[in-house]
């Protein structure tokens, strides 16, 4: 049966306008940090409509939408200042449980991801491991009906407010390092877990260190086979090669920065020339349109099962570059008036300083793991046939 994509878009637009609460849309429209409160409230609204998991199959409680429907969903939600979906549960561990989990694990965990009851974080990175994930040393030994976990994770986003963590642990040192890794699901209120904040230059608390000291985890919280966690980890990273949310959210950011520059230009009329920033915005607008065309073409290729080649890498690289440029424009617009207030006391309302924080957060997020450099290498190797 053919899908009426135009009608589907109209249905989404009506829902976004009517269902997304004004206080949630205000946070998104202003470019402020979206917190657990907004994420969970929006997830509950979507789930009540049956749209809690756009990328999941119907049998797991998802929508069963195709890639084009998911792209339209992301575009419409971004256009209407609705929050993005929280990725750790819906985009990461949820699909892993669907693919590798037992029926009991699916029944326990998937409904709580869908309705927003559980808030997940990821325990992958460790001190001293750098980008070599397989070198992790956090250990888990089986005693009776429990895994005993010891070690440390770092750069753990949202660990301070998460109820669950999915983590890679070393269950064997005898095989090669990739084969001795397993995937565990651990409640964050388990005795022996300590969370310490990592202060970052953007002023937002989102990163943490997490310590595990003789933490006891029920044996049936291991996903997949013992020692096969590397397979789960690769599936998590590779399962969705196209990032529809990235392009849609890029357009949202462009609109936010455009409004910011226009407001700053009016406020500084006759005192400051904003023509250079307006020119840069036009260049960004052209690149955003280009990214949307690339995304549409890649989506069509995926639907018709044509090879994607380097398209996902080019799209990711473009989005990272434009996001950095947009936040730089925002910083240039508000910087002279807001920079001296960036060090305001905690809790003080400093609206303009939000974009200084946004600038720093975006730079860190798009540079993290060498994102742009990795994508450039992928593209270069493909073009050179390496």
């Amino acid at each position: 049966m053919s899908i009426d994509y135009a009608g589907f878009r109209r249905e989404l637009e009506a829902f976004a306008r009517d269902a997304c609460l004004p206080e949630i849309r205000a946070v998104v429209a202003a470019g402020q940090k979206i917190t657990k409160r907004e994420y969970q409230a929006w997830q509950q609204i979507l789930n009540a409509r049956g749209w809690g998991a756009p990328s999941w199959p119907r049998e797991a409680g998802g929508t069963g939408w195709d890639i084009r429907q998911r792209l339209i969903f992301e575009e419409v939600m971004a256009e209407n200042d609705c929050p993005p979906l929280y990725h750790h549960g819906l985009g990461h561990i949820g699909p892993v449980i669907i693919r590798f989990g037992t029926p009991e694990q699916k029944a326990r965990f998937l409904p709580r991801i869908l309705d927003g009851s559980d808030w997940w974080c990821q325990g992958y990175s460790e001190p001293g491991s750098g980008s070599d994930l397989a070198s992790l040393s956090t250990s888990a030994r089986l005693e009776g009906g429990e895994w005993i976990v010891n070690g440390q994770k770092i750069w753990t986003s949202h660990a301070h407010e998460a109820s669950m963590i999915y983590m890679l642990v070393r269950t064997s040192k005898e095989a090669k390092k990739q084969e001795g890794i397993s995937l565990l699901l651990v409640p964050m209120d388990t005795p022996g877990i300590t969370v310490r904040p990592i202060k970052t230059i953007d002023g937002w608390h989102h990163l943490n260190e997490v310590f595990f000291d003789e933490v006891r985890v029920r044996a049936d919280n291991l996903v997949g086979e013992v020692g096969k966690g590397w397979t789960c980890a690769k599936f998590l990273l590779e399962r969705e090669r196209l990032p529809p949310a990235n392009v849609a959210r890029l357009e949202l950011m462009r609109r936010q920065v455009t409004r910011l520059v226009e407001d700053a230009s009016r406020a500084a009329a006759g005192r400051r020339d904003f023509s250079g920033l307006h020119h840069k915005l036009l260049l960004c607008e052209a690149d955003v349109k280009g990214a949307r065309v690339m995304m549409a073409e890649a989506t069509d290729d995926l639907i018709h099962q044509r090879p994607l080649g380097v398209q996902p890498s080019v799209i990711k690289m473009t989005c990272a570059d434009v996001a950095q440029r947009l936040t730089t424009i925002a910083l240039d617009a508000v910087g002279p008036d807001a920079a001296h207030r960036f060090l305001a006391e905690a809790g003080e309302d400093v609206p303009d300083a939000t974009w200084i924080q946004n600038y720093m957060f975006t730079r860190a997020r798009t540079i993290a793991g060498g994102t742009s450099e990795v994508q450039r290498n992928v593209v270069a190797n493909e073009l050179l046939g390496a």
Side-chain angles (χ1 to χ4, degrees):
M1 183 178 68
S2 61
I3 297 172
D4 178 9
Y5 291 107
F8 178 69
R9 181 181 289 274
R10 290 192 295 271
E11 182 183 8
L12 290 173
E13 289 171 343
F15 175 81
R17 289 193 301 268
D18 297 339
C20 192
L21 301 176
E23 56 267 32
I24 295 178
R25 296 172 70 175
V27 171
V28 179
Q32 297 173 359
K33 180 174 174 59
I34 303 170
T35 68
K36 181 180 179 180
R37 179 177 58 188
E38 290 85 33
Y39 277 123
Q40 283 191 320
W42 182 230
Q43 179 61 32
Q44 289 165 1
I45 292 170
L46 286 170
N47 189 54
R49 179 62 179 80
W51 294 345
S55 63
W56 290 11
R58 292 184 186 276
E59 58 269 23
T63 61
W65 289 341
D66 66 25
I67 185 66
R68 181 165 291 157
Q69 288 174 297
R70 288 157 52 194
L71 175 59
I72 294 171
F73 172 83
E74 295 289 353
E75 288 178 346
V76 171
M77 296 304 125
E79 288 167 359
N80 287 274
D81 297 325
C82 301
L85 299 176
Y86 184 66
H87 59 284
H88 279 308
L90 292 166
H92 290 181
I93 193 59
V96 171
I97 294 172
I98 292 170
R99 173 65 178 82
F100 299 99
T102 64
E104 190 273 339
Q105 288 172 338
K106 295 174 185 178
R108 280 174 58 201
F109 296 113
L110 296 183
R112 295 181 61 82
I113 293 174
L114 283 170
D115 67 14
S117 297
D118 280 336
W119 184 257
W120 290 80
C121 62
Q122 181 188 80
Y124 276 19
S125 299
E126 294 188 5
S129 290
S131 60
D132 182 11
L133 181 59
S135 68
L136 64 88
S137 60
T138 294
S139 66
R141 67 183 191 275
L142 190 61
E143 290 188 0
E146 295 178 315
W147 291 99
I148 313 300
V149 181
N150 287 280
Q152 179 187 356
K153 299 295 181 177
I154 198 167
W155 313 122
T156 311
S157 301
H158 303 288
H160 59 295
E161 53 191 0
S163 58
M164 296 289 299
I165 182 171
Y166 58 96
M167 59 185 299
L168 294 176
V169 294
R170 184 159 298 285
T171 50
S172 172
K173 295 182 180 179
E174 297 177 3
K176 68 177 185 178
K177 56 185 180 180
Q178 287 89 348
E179 294 180 357
I181 294 173
S182 300
L183 178 65
L184 274 180
L185 312 179
V186 184
M188 287 296 289
D189 60 359
T190 306
I193 296 179
T194 302
V195 179
R196 296 179 185 171
I198 297 176
K199 294 183 178 180
T200 51
I201 196 171
D202 59 20
W204 286 332
H205 178 197
H206 49 98
L207 297 177
N208 305 271
E209 296 176 281
V210 186
F211 299 86
F212 301 84
D213 182 14
E214 293 292 295
V215 174
R216 294 182 171 271
V217 184
R218 49 192 282 184
D220 60 358
N221 273 23
L222 185 140
V223 180
E225 299 179 42
V226 176
K228 299 299 182 181
W230 193 250
T231 300
C232 297
K234 288 195 299 181
F235 175 83
L236 186 155
L237 296 172
E238 297 173 356
R239 60 168 293 275
E240 187 166 29
R241 298 188 63 194
L242 286 179
N246 289 5
V247 178
R249 294 291 151 181
L250 197 62
E251 170 60 17
L252 172 60
M253 180 184 287
R254 186 198 65 79
R255 295 200 316 270
Q256 291 169 337
V257 176
T258 298
R259 288 196 297 266
L260 184 73
V261 171
E262 289 173 349
D263 291 344
S265 180
R266 283 192 294 268
R271 295 184 291 108
R272 188 176 166 206
D273 183 9
F274 278 77
S275 59
L277 293 185
H278 284 296
H279 176 70
K280 291 178 181 179
L281 274 173
L282 288 174
L283 295 177
C284 286
E285 181 178 2
D287 286 338
V288 171
K289 289 181 177 179
R292 295 184 73 168
V293 170
M294 287 191 290
M295 186 69 208
E297 291 176 347
T299 298
D300 190 65
D301 287 341
L302 195 62
I303 290 174
H304 292 92
Q305 299 183 338
R306 295 188 291 264
L308 291 174
V310 298
Q311 290 180 92
S313 293
V314 172
I315 293 171
K316 288 180 181 179
M317 188 168 61
T318 299
C319 289
D321 175 67
V322 177
Q324 290 186 5
R325 285 159 51 200
L326 284 169
T327 52
T328 299
I329 293 169
L331 184 63
D332 288 342
V334 304
D337 296 324
H340 70 285
R341 293 182 287 160
F342 181 50
L343 299 178
E345 294 296 324
E348 184 175 336
D349 184 18
V350 187
D352 288 343
T354 295
W355 276 103
I356 299 179
Q357 293 172 307
N358 230 319
Y359 167 81
M360 296 174 177
F361 178 70
T362 301
R363 297 289 294 189
R365 182 183 60 189
T366 54
I367 293 172
T371 298
S372 295
E373 194 61 33
V374 167
Q375 302 307 329
R376 289 189 183 95
N377 288 338
V378 169
V379 173
N381 289 336
E382 178 72 18
L383 295 177
L384 293 173

